[in-house]
Amino acid sequence: MQMQMTQWLTGFSLFAGQTLFGFIAVLALFRLLPRRRPRWTHIVKLDWQHQQLPDRWLQRLQLARDQSSFTERETLLAGCGLTADAAWYIAGRRILLVVLPLVMLGVLGLQLKQGRAELLSIGLVVMIAALYADLPWLRSIRKLRAYRITKEIYIMSNQLLYLAESSLHIHTKLTRCVPYTRVLRGEMDRLLTEWYHDAEQALRRFKHRIGTDDGMSFAETIDSLRLHESPEYYELLRERIQDYKEKLELAKESRKETASYGLFIIAGIPILYTFQVFIYPWIREGQKLFESLG
């Protein structure tokens, strides 16, 4: 009976894993296909992206939107580019932190083969640790996204400054900035499609979707140029460009320093191995010799 249960669980896990990876692969292939974005994207909305989790579900999970941990994760998720309600992630995290330890206890109680049990246990422990200490990797993702956004905003700001003397409308100038974007390509397309419906609201939503300080300052600069397209505001844009450049240089230096520390640690591994293989046996023999003489 136990052998049949083990075989059933193994087969189910393999089938679930293959189905999941197959679905991800098909979804990735569909995302590569060219598609035309709808003209009024503020009307075409997906319910799961804009529907809030009911408060009674949060109360059953002993969660509240005014908790400091909730607001901190909500801010981090917004900085990571999540436009849906952060409560879905926080509630799922709370549920998995309860369910995964029970699953691990069940795996250990089934007395599977030693190698398979250790592999499943290690995978579950890694998942539990990643969910329990999710703040560091969320901060890392937000920091990486903020750097890439600042880099693209710096390029678009230079393009706007290059077009300062032209008589083009600010909407047309922003359209010419879109080819220089990658991370912000979808957000810029949505901003430009919503522009003539209500430019102020479109910029406000654009600022909220980006969720970074540089993105907010860029949206405010665009709003100023929309209302008062004068040389004084292009001077403000020039100052912002200098600020973006300094931030990018600081981030680049920080990344170089982190990489140098990593290379130093990697370079120390052969030294430790050399000490363990060649030098440590001589030291050990010398200690034995002194002990025998004493």
Side-chain angles (χ1 to χ4, degrees), residues 16 34 42 56 79 86 114 133 173 216 223 226 236 251 253 278 283:
H42 65 284
R56 63 178 183 275
Q114 187 174 2
K173 293 179 181 179
M216 293 179 183
D223 196 20
R226 178 183 66 88
L236 174 62
E253 292 295 329
F278 297 102
I283 296 176

Side-chain angles (χ1 to χ4, degrees), residues 237-282:
L237 179 62
R238 194 186 302 273
E239 294 177 1
R240 292 278 174 86
I241 288 174
Q242 186 63 31
D243 294 338
Y244 299 149
K245 184 178 180 180
E246 292 176 358
K247 288 184 179 180
L248 290 174
E249 289 177 354
L250 288 174
K252 190 179 294 185
E253 292 295 329
S254 177
R255 293 173 65 182
K256 287 182 179 179
E257 186 177 357
T258 304
S260 64
Y261 285 139
L263 292 174
F264 178 77
I265 293 173
I266 294 174
I269 295 175
I271 298 174
L272 293 176
Y273 184 75
T274 303
F275 176 80
Q276 182 180 1
V277 173
F278 297 102
I279 302 176
Y280 181 74
W282 291 93

Side-chain angles (χ1 to χ4, degrees), residues 71-116:
T71 55
E72 184 179 7
R73 286 182 172 84
E74 187 177 16
T75 305
L76 289 174
L77 291 170
C80 293
L82 181 69
T83 57
D85 185 13
W88 293 104
Y89 167 78
I90 298 172
R93 173 182 175 273
R94 177 64 61 87
I95 293 172
L96 288 175
L97 284 176
V98 176
V99 172
L100 290 179
L102 298 177
V103 174
M104 187 170 65
L105 291 176
V107 169
L108 295 176
L110 288 176
Q111 296 181 357
L112 301 175
K113 293 182 179 179
Q114 187 174 2
R116 186 175 298 171

Side-chain angles (χ1 to χ4, degrees), residues 189-228:
D189 288 340
R190 184 170 179 179
L191 171 65
L192 295 173
T193 53
E194 296 176 355
W195 184 273
Y196 287 113
H197 180 74
D198 191 341
E200 185 178 357
Q201 292 295 328
L203 284 169
R204 189 173 301 168
R205 286 189 289 266
F206 176 74
K207 185 193 301 185
H208 176 72
R209 289 195 302 269
I210 293 180
T212 62
D213 296 335
D214 295 333
M216 293 179 183
S217 65
F218 180 68
E220 292 172 358
T221 304
I222 295 174
D223 196 20
S224 301
L225 294 175
R226 178 183 66 88
L227 297 174
H228 313 281

